[in-house]
Amino acid sequence: MKWLFAAAALLGLTGAAPAAPQGDAPLVLTAMHLHDPWIVADAASKTYYLFTRNEAAMSGDQRLGTMVYASRDLKHWSKPKLAFVLPAGLWAKAGSWAPEVHRWRGKWYLFTTFHNPDLPLGKNGTRATYRRGTVLAVADRVDGPYRLVRGGEPIVDGSLMTLDGSLYVDPKGKPWLVYAHEWWQTTVGTMEALPLTDDLAAAGSPQTLFKANDAPWAVGQKQSNGDVVYVTDGPELYRSKTGTLLMLWSSYGQKGYVEAQARSTSGTIAGPWEQLGPLV
């Protein structure tokens, strides 16, 4: 799962703009439906935009997609509107998980994960696998509306059951999709990276960065069929002020669901990746 992207606050927008009037922004975080939220700090408009899966109870719209809240101070938020709606007739039927929004070459791009249990991919033991993957949509404005790219086909090969795709741009300006290869298909979940073209399409084969059970703190989850599985969720890459390349990611530890970090000892996406342990 994605976690609230704290790096948004680093742009200092809170100090650059007054708090939004509560009449225009009546909501606080505890009153908002949030599932894998992602924040963009937009310097041009001095506004924070929080993206999450659409919830009809908040937006008043039943359609499958992504909604967005807006704030000037990270405390008071507007009522949400739909930034993206999945068009009817596509392969996907459910999901809209873990939206991310990134600026790339003059446009805004939305990455979000969908699935369809009625489109089988075969079996992993007794588990029937099915299509799941991150799709791409584009907009001229950060708050949308977003339209699908390449007909809504997943960025990663559709035979792979993947989720939580995240854009990473390396120091040479080359884009990558970093994502979790789902434990449902692999038993031991992996974190993988796919090189992309400049139009954010696949440009080669995926590379495995690490497995969930490479982390000494990770605890396998026993399933009803007797399998012990290891979860990989929610990769986020971040380069520190000292140049260290870090990844936030999630799995299960001794006390439940954990947000942890890993470090690339080479400073590149290829790693090797050293597991640093739980944060939260």
Side-chain angles (χ1 to χ4, degrees):
M1 294 183 179
K2 304 290 185 189
W3 288 58
L4 201 62
F5 193 48
L10 296 179
L11 288 187
L13 301 192
T14 302
Q22 292 195 29
D24 295 334
L27 302 176
V28 294
L29 286 173
T30 52
M32 296 156 62
H33 286 216
L34 301 175
H35 185 277
D36 295 345
W38 173 267
I39 289 178
V40 172
D42 182 39
S45 63
K46 295 183 171 61
T47 302
Y48 297 98
Y49 293 96
L50 187 156
F51 296 85
T52 188
R53 180 183 67 190
N54 181 48
E55 299 286 353
M58 296 300 298
S59 68
D61 195 312
Q62 296 284 346
R63 291 176 294 176
L64 189 62
T66 303
M67 63 183 185
V68 59
Y69 300 88
S71 173
R72 292 296 185 101
D73 62 0
L74 291 174
K75 296 178 181 179
H76 306 108
W77 295 85
S78 68
K79 293 181 179 179
K81 69 172 189 176
L82 261 68
F84 170 69
V85 174
L86 186 73
L90 293 186
W91 66 271
K93 285 188 177 179
S96 200
W97 294 343
E100 286 195 13
V101 169
H102 295 270
R103 185 78 168 168
W104 174 254
R105 301 213 163 191
K107 299 282 188 180
W108 292 97
Y109 286 90
L110 168 71
F111 299 74
T112 184
T113 300
F114 290 94
H115 60 266
N116 187 343
D118 295 329
L119 295 177
L121 296 176
K123 283 198 169 185
N124 174 20
T126 60
R127 283 191 297 278
T129 65
Y130 51 89
R131 287 200 75 183
R132 175 174 290 168
T134 299
V135 304
L136 185 66
V138 65
D140 296 319
R141 293 169 46 96
V142 61
D143 57 346
Y146 286 84
R147 59 190 183 277
L148 283 173
V149 174
R150 291 183 286 276
E153 283 299 302
I155 303 168
V156 180
D157 187 319
S159 67
L160 304 180
M161 199 173 178
T162 64
L163 74 165
D164 293 354
S166 180
L167 180 67
Y168 168 68
V169 180
D170 70 21
K172 295 182 179 179
K174 180 179 179 58
W176 297 77
L177 186 76
V178 180
Y179 60 91
H181 193 166
E182 183 70 281
W183 65 267
W184 193 269
Q185 187 177 45
T186 63
T187 304
V188 176
T190 58
M191 209 62 80
E192 300 180 1
L194 179 72
L196 301 177
T197 64
D198 285 345
D199 61 356
L200 304 181
S205 300
Q207 304 174 20
T208 298
L209 305 183
F210 59 84
K211 297 180 179 180
N213 59 0
D214 288 345
W217 54 265
V219 174
Q221 304 298 298
K222 190 169 184 177
Q223 305 297 294
S224 59
N225 66 356
D227 277 0
V228 175
V229 305
Y230 287 81
V231 174
T232 45
D233 274 344
E236 289 306 332
L237 284 101
Y238 173 73
R239 194 170 294 277
S240 74
K241 291 179 180 179
T242 61
T244 301
L245 183 61
L246 299 167
M247 183 192 296
L248 302 178
W249 70 286
S250 294
S251 190
Y252 285 91
Q254 291 288 348
K255 296 182 179 180
Y257 198 66
V258 169
E259 177 82 348
Q261 61 180 335
R263 173 173 56 206
S264 170
T265 58
S266 69
T268 71
I269 190 69
W273 288 86
E274 176 188 13
Q275 300 300 325
L276 299 183
L279 293 169
V280 181

